[in-house]
Amino acid sequence: MAQECGIRLAFHPDDPPISPFIGVARVLSTPEGLQRLLDMVPSPNLGLLFCQGTVATMADVDAVEQIYHFGRQGKIFHAHFRNPRGEGRFFDEVFPDEGDTDMLAAMQAYRALGFEGLIRIDHAPGVVGDSRGAPRSNAFQLGYARGLLQAAELLEAQAATQREDA
């Protein structure tokens, strides 16, 4: 029905990606679980709200590799651009330049895949003096993401120039 109506359904991974959690089994806490969901209902209208931070906190998972894995399938409909430090039960929400994921590599992955969906900042610590809504924290995160986008574009242009010169 969703497909007939042009509606796309995007699933968010279990956050935190721990199973069981408070006695409840969770099936979207690993890349394999996410893939299983997508394979059960093979539809161009079923995909992921790819929470990069949640995926990054999955045990022994490289978030950038998962961007490529799900992105090549066209299954990332929306992305949360965040970078926690740690994994499983032991992670901290930190600013995007302090986490474990190479955020420039993540931005380059989205660009390499031609991702056209929405990428939005997500959980980060507050800043002293922030009011409700964390305007200073959000401004830093947005500026950082914009800087990464500009760096990725510059690196792409340099690579293209080098290919032309070769």
Side-chain angles (χ1 to χ4, degrees):
M1 184 69 161
Q3 190 168 326
E4 294 167 7
C5 296
I7 296 170
R8 296 189 330 160
L9 303 173
F11 289 84
H12 190 290
D14 290 325
D15 190 3
I18 300 166
S19 183
F21 185 68
I22 314 174
V24 177
R26 302 176 76 192
V27 297
L28 301 180
S29 59
T30 64
E32 295 78 20
L34 295 170
Q35 188 64 55
R36 195 172 320 119
L37 169 72
L38 297 172
D39 292 344
M40 283 189 329
V41 183
S43 168
N45 293 59
L46 179 70
L48 301 174
L49 189 170
F50 186 84
C51 184
Q52 183 180 308
T54 299
V55 171
T57 60
M58 293 176 179
D60 301 318
V61 172
D62 182 313
V64 176
E65 287 178 12
Q66 297 307 311
I67 292 168
Y68 281 110
H69 174 78
F70 292 109
R72 284 186 183 115
Q73 299 175 58
K75 292 299 183 179
I76 299 177
F77 292 173
H78 178 98
H80 285 172
F81 198 65
R82 90 179 209 252
N83 192 13
R85 183 176 42 228
E87 64 181 42
R89 297 181 187 278
F90 306 101
F91 69 92
D92 295 306
E93 298 288 4
V94 295
F95 286 104
D97 61 336
E98 299 174 318
D100 295 333
T101 299
D102 179 338
M103 295 296 272
L104 177 57
M107 185 64 76
Q108 289 174 305
Y110 290 116
R111 290 193 50 79
L113 293 163
F115 180 70
E116 294 182 356
L118 177 69
I119 296 177
R120 71 178 278 277
I121 59 170
D122 200 25
H123 317 196
V127 175
V128 173
D130 256 351
S131 59
R132 188 177 182 138
R136 289 177 179 94
S137 176
N138 288 343
F140 174 78
Q141 291 180 84
L142 287 170
Y144 186 80
R146 180 70 179 135
L148 289 173
L149 177 61
Q150 291 171 333
E153 290 169 343
L154 179 62
L155 290 169
E156 286 173 21
Q158 288 175 339
T161 299
Q162 289 173 352
R163 283 191 301 273
E164 291 170 5
D165 292 343

